[in-house]
Structure formats: structure tokens, C-alpha cells
Amino acid sequence: MTALADRLAADTLALIDIASESRDEAAILDAIRPRVAQAQGLRIVDDQDGVIAALPERRPGVPLVLLAGHVDTVPRAGASRPGHRDGDVVIGRGAADMKGAVAVMLALAADDAGAADLDVGYIFFGREEITIEESALLPAFDRTPELRETALAIVLEPTDNQLEVGCNGNLTALVTVPGRAAHSARPWLGHNAIHAAIEALAPIADLPIRDVEIDGLVFREVVSVTSIAGGIAGNVVPDHVEASVNFRYAPNRPPADAEARLRELLGHPAVAIEVLGNGPPGPVHLGHPLVTRLRATGRLEVRPKQAWTPVAEFGMVGVDAVNLGPGDPRYAHTDDEQVTGTALARVHAIVSAFLAGEEL
């Protein structure tokens, strides 16, 4: 392990040790703030409502690249608590998604990473792991219009150090199926909500994956029932069922169309649908000159982003963005969530070389 990899791994573990579940990010932002404030050439331009953003003094005509990362995590569980190291591997909640990337961002800021032809800024934000309706990132663009001048945002979400463009939309809905309670010995006197739910949800269970090709990349549209609850006892016909349904839809489908499609699939007359969140997809920017430069810098494989990421939020305010981060997506949110020091050092090298206009 190189000295850089060891340093980044140690910093990642220190960040993991600061609990920062969504809506409870104050402690980790308090730890990040002085490090950003001490970084040479940066000034903090936004520091409120779960956001710390820092920009350099802007040079006329010089494009701004913004490195972006969220500081919150899903709740801790299992082996993810507490964090620990096993040689090159850092294990714990947020290791992959995405405290390892935050450690890389802080190292780049401390190293004064930059180039003659690019300005480099940073934004750290919370509340990413919950619905877009509680976004901490979107209001920052209204508070700090300078952020809208970004030529390219690099969101350091877990991509296993490959370039992932765009992202799928993320619609979550609560589906309620009513019934009428009765004794299970005389079910004809009631209406079994679970039986009705089986019928109502069958179109989702039988729905094939839909592949959507955009600029030669295949995004996969999928609909899943992610939770279901109903019934109060073994001898009572249930009077209602509630199910959560999640629809991951391709970047060429508008959010309103995604909602209409879900309502079409759940067209059973008894079903009530409440949309809890609908994060739009992120646009694909393969032809952007800075994306071309980033891709060439690390000789990066280009893949579609199957998950939802803040690339979508940048797109909503007219800022082009891509995903590139050290975590392996298969470990995100798992009980054995992990990242390697080698992967952290690799993305640090890619981004450093990109900003310097060099190739690895």
C-alpha cells in the first residue's frame, strides 16, 4: 500500500467513525468545515442547511469544475458498525457510499489540486440518501448562484473508478389496497385485501426488464415491490394492505410520464397510489469536452448509472455532471460496506491528472 493510499484509508475510517445518518449530518460537517476553510485558494461560499460549498477566486473565461459528494449515510447495521480496517480494506457504513470519496475530496482540496485552465470548487452536502423532496443540494443553487456557473460537476458516487454517465430516475409510491375485515371462518362476509393486493400487484411481478439505449449505453427500467404489510391476526380476513413500489426509469422518460406509467401498471380500480418521492433521471453528457478529457485521463470505461445520483439534481439546474468515485457499487448500503485504500488513491490520481490536464 502506498503512503497516499494509507493516508486516505485512515481518513476514511475517521469519517466513518462520525455517525451521519440522513438529517443528522451536523457532526461530520463540523469536522469537514475547518479543513475546507484551511485549504489554500478556497473560500467558503455557502455554509448552511446541510451544505458546505467552497470556490476559488474565479478567473474570467476559465471553466469551473465542481467536485461533489454527500456526507450522509443510510442507518448503520451489522458489520458496518463500528468501522474498522483490514489491511488495505476499510469497512464500515459509508465506506463505499461515500465517505471514502469525501476523504479524497478533502485530500485534493488540501493539496490545492488545480490547473492553469480550470478553476476547482467543492461541495459537501447532506440528505442525499432520502427523497429529493428533502434535498439539501438543490436549495444551495438558489442561495449561491455562483454554483450555477459550473462547467462540469464530478459527483464522486461509487462507480468502482469507472466513468458512469446519466442516472435512472427514482420514483417511490405507497400503494394501498382496501378490504373489509371478517372472521377467517366466514371470509365471504368480508373482502380479503391481501387477495386483492396479489391481483393488483401481479402486473409488476410479471413485468419484464425494459432496456433503453441512449448514446450506445443501456439503462434498465425496473419496477419492484419493496415492502408489503397487511393483516392483524391468523383468524382475521385483512381489511387493508400497504405496499411500497419503486420504479427506476431511464433518462429519456420525464418524471410525469414515469408516474403515469406506474398508475397504468397499477390500474386496479380499488388501488390508491400516493407518490412519496420522484427524483428525475440525470441526462447523459458523453459529448461534453471536459467529459472527453476526463475519460481520456484515466482511460476510463464508460457505463450507464443504473442507480439514482445527484447528477440528476445538477441537471435540474442546468449543470452538466457525471459520476466517478472509488467505491464499488455492490458494497453500497451493505452490512459489509467497504472500500480499499488502493481504490481511493486511484481516483485521487485520476482527478488530479484530469485537473492538471495530464494523462495517467
Side-chain angles (χ1 to χ4, degrees), residues 5-90:
D6 184 65
R7 175 165 64 95
L8 291 171
D11 198 21
T12 298
L13 183 58
L15 293 171
I16 288 170
D17 285 341
I18 304 173
S20 59
E21 294 177 15
S22 301
R23 306 188 190 95
D24 190 20
E25 304 96 347
I28 195 166
L29 289 170
D30 286 345
I32 288 171
R33 184 177 297 107
R35 298 175 64 176
V36 176
Q38 293 163 13
Q40 184 177 354
L42 291 176
R43 54 191 173 90
I44 293 179
V45 296
D46 190 13
D47 184 3
Q48 57 183 302
D49 192 28
V51 172
I52 296 175
L55 296 177
E57 291 297 331
R58 295 301 313 285
R59 295 171 291 172
V62 176
L64 172 65
V65 171
L66 190 65
L67 304 184
H70 67 84
V71 299
D72 62 319
T73 71
V74 297
R76 296 184 178 191
S80 70
R81 184 177 190 174
H84 56 284
R85 282 183 68 176
D86 183 3
D88 188 42
V89 182
V90 185

Side-chain angles (χ1 to χ4, degrees), residues 93-128:
R93 177 61 74 230
D97 190 15
M98 57 177 287
K99 290 186 175 181
V102 170
V104 172
M105 290 170 61
L106 290 169
L108 290 166
D111 295 343
D112 191 24
D117 65 338
L118 294 175
D119 286 341
V120 186
Y122 299 81
I123 185 165
F124 304 86
F125 53 95
R127 303 201 301 274
E128 191 270 350

